[in-house]
Amino acid sequence: MYYLPTSLIFIGYSIITFIYVFKNRREKIQKHLFFNELLIVLLLLMAGILFPFMFQFHSPQLANNTLNFLWFFTSTFFLIEMGVWSVFLIYNAIISKRNPEIMAERDYGTYCKEVSNRWVDDFKSEFGRKFLHLFTTFVILFFWSLGTIFDNLGFLNQFNLDNYSFSYWLIITVGYGFVIMFQVGDLTRLNKFHILPEWAKRWFLSMRPSELDTFVASTPLVLSLIPFVFAPFPILASVALITTGADAVACLIGKKYGTHRLKKNSNKTIEGFIAGGITTFLIVFVIMNIYQFWMPISFIKILMMSLVSVILFLLVDFFIEHISDNILNPILTGLGMWLILLL
């Protein structure tokens, strides 16, 4: 039952987020944010429901006492994280209530103007933002490599662990911890901005002006990877790299070299569109070959996965406007690769 605190945290998040979205549904529908935020609600709910099955899915031989320790450590870490947030929020709520002038100074409208004024939409700034997104993939690949090294050295056997259980424990703990951190920040920013700590306000200064009335893109990006914890690692790695790497290449090439609009009234360019498709193909093809030991499949299947991922990536990029590609790209490309694997 040590998994229960984590599951309850995320199920609770989904309920609170749903209440916020439903309460503001008219504004959300008007700004084309409603369906996107409902998907985040579902992803949070899924994260809570699926958590008890993650660590042992690829390691059915995992001993109960080892599994309980992993759950205990992760849940304890999250409870501490929630406790730290609670202390800061309660402290800011108390001082704001005692001094109404402080509450007046902490006006979200003023903060929104500051974010908009700071926003720079050029190649250098976009490169920095995309690099932060790529950090998600770096974490996944680093922890997997760390687990592989420890497993080969025989270190993990001493603790009744293997590469999958150890690596995924680290990946899931860091990923879920990231979501907790930003979801608390987002919900506070959107509902009770005056109690948001100063250090949290500095986090959000780099967000896009289009994110001021909704959740930042990083949260759904991480949440959309959760279903693929149950897929072989090469699929998870490919999905993560497509979502961060291919999207980054498409954006940066389009911004630097794009001269032909993909569609009317769209910032996307044909050059970026093509670059994203080529990068998607290369990502899947290379990852499937590098990590083939963990998912032995034929060259034909690798080629099919690469091509299907490209098609799905380009379809999302061309047709979808009001749903975050940080949600649709990983889910559709990941499901496409998974389906081909099962054929």
Side-chain angles (χ1 to χ4, degrees):
M1 297 293 285
Y2 291 121
Y3 60 81
L4 198 57
T6 299
S7 290
L8 290 178
I9 287 171
F10 278 84
I11 292 171
Y13 268 155
S14 70
I15 294 171
I16 294 170
T17 304
F18 176 76
I19 292 171
Y20 161 75
V21 174
F22 187 76
K23 182 180 177 181
N24 298 278
R25 62 190 180 279
R26 291 184 180 177
E27 177 188 349
K28 300 296 182 182
I29 292 171
Q30 184 180 9
K31 295 181 178 180
H32 304 290
L33 298 171
F34 184 70
F35 189 65
N36 201 62
E37 294 187 357
L38 280 184
L39 286 176
I40 295 175
V41 170
L42 293 175
L43 289 171
L44 287 166
L45 181 63
M46 178 186 65
I49 293 172
L50 294 180
F51 176 74
F53 311 101
M54 290 181 170
F55 297 154
Q56 73 276 33
F57 183 80
H58 294 285
S59 308
Q61 78 286 354
L62 201 63
N64 285 334
N65 59 340
T66 304
L67 184 58
N68 284 328
F69 171 79
L70 299 180
W71 282 335
F72 175 79
F73 183 93
T74 299
S75 292
T76 301
F77 176 76
F78 294 158
L79 289 172
I80 293 172
E81 185 179 9
M82 293 288 292
V84 170
W85 261 113
S86 298
V87 169
F88 278 102
L89 295 179
I90 291 170
Y91 171 76
N92 279 277
I94 292 172
I95 63 172
S96 298
K97 187 175 182 180
R98 288 179 177 176
N99 191 345
E101 292 181 2
I102 294 178
M103 185 182 295
E105 290 174 0
R106 298 176 177 181
D107 177 63
Y108 190 54
T110 303
Y111 182 81
C112 290
K113 290 179 182 178
E114 183 181 358
V115 171
S116 298
N117 291 334
R118 286 170 58 98
W119 176 257
V120 179
D121 190 19
D122 60 10
F123 181 85
K124 183 179 179 181
S125 300
E126 193 64 39
F127 181 85
R129 287 187 287 267
K130 294 302 181 183
F131 182 81
L132 289 176
H133 282 188
L134 275 168
F135 184 72
T136 302
T137 305
F138 292 155
V139 167
I140 292 172
L141 296 177
F142 172 76
F143 283 147
W144 180 262
S145 300
L146 187 67
T148 301
I149 293 169
F150 284 169
D151 194 28
N152 291 336
L153 292 174
F155 179 75
L156 297 181
N157 287 334
Q158 301 176 35
F159 301 93
N160 299 317
L161 293 168
D162 59 11
N163 189 18
Y164 261 112
S165 56
F166 177 74
S167 300
Y168 275 32
W169 171 55
L170 292 175
I171 291 168
I172 293 162
T173 300
V174 172
Y176 271 50
F178 177 89
V179 171
I180 288 173
M181 180 173 65
F182 272 91
Q183 195 65 10
V184 172
D186 267 337
L187 287 169
T188 305
R189 171 176 62 87
L190 294 167
N191 291 279
K192 297 285 184 181
F193 180 74
H194 62 277
I195 69 172
L196 193 67
E198 290 298 323
W199 47 267
K201 292 176 186 176
R202 289 192 289 271
W203 285 350
F204 294 113
L205 281 174
S206 61
M207 66 180 166
R208 298 175 181 274
S210 59
E211 295 173 336
L212 287 168
D213 297 319
T214 188
F215 304 101
V216 294
S218 303
T219 300
L221 185 154
V222 175
L223 286 170
S224 61
L225 300 178
I226 288 174
F228 306 105
V229 168
F230 298 94
F233 177 74
I235 291 180
L236 173 63
S238 297
V239 168
L241 263 176
I242 289 169
T243 310
T244 56
D247 179 71
V249 170
C251 181
L252 294 173
I253 293 296
K255 192 170 290 292
K256 185 74 172 179
Y257 303 106
T259 56
H260 303 88
R261 294 292 177 191
L262 183 62
K263 294 188 296 183
K264 291 182 179 180
N265 303 320
S266 172
N267 293 325
K268 297 179 179 179
T269 65
I270 294 175
E271 291 83 357
F273 183 74
I274 294 172
I278 294 172
T279 305
T280 298
F281 180 89
L282 292 175
I283 285 171
V284 177
F285 189 81
V286 171
I287 289 292
M288 292 300 166
N289 279 284
I290 290 176
Y291 295 103
Q292 193 172 24
F293 175 81
W294 300 100
M295 194 175 77
I297 55 175
S298 66
F299 177 81
I300 297 299
K301 279 199 172 184
I302 291 176
L303 198 60
M304 288 176 63
M305 286 182 176
S306 303
L307 291 172
V308 167
S309 296
V310 170
I311 293 169
L312 292 170
F313 178 89
L314 294 179
L315 285 173
V316 170
D317 213 31
F318 188 85
F319 289 106
I320 305 301
E321 295 182 0
H322 301 307
I323 301 176
S324 173
D325 54 6
N326 285 336
I327 296 176
L328 286 185
N329 269 335
I331 289 177
L332 292 181
T333 56
L335 289 177
M337 285 185 278
W338 210 346
L339 182 61
I340 291 171
L341 174 67
L342 298 175
L343 291 177

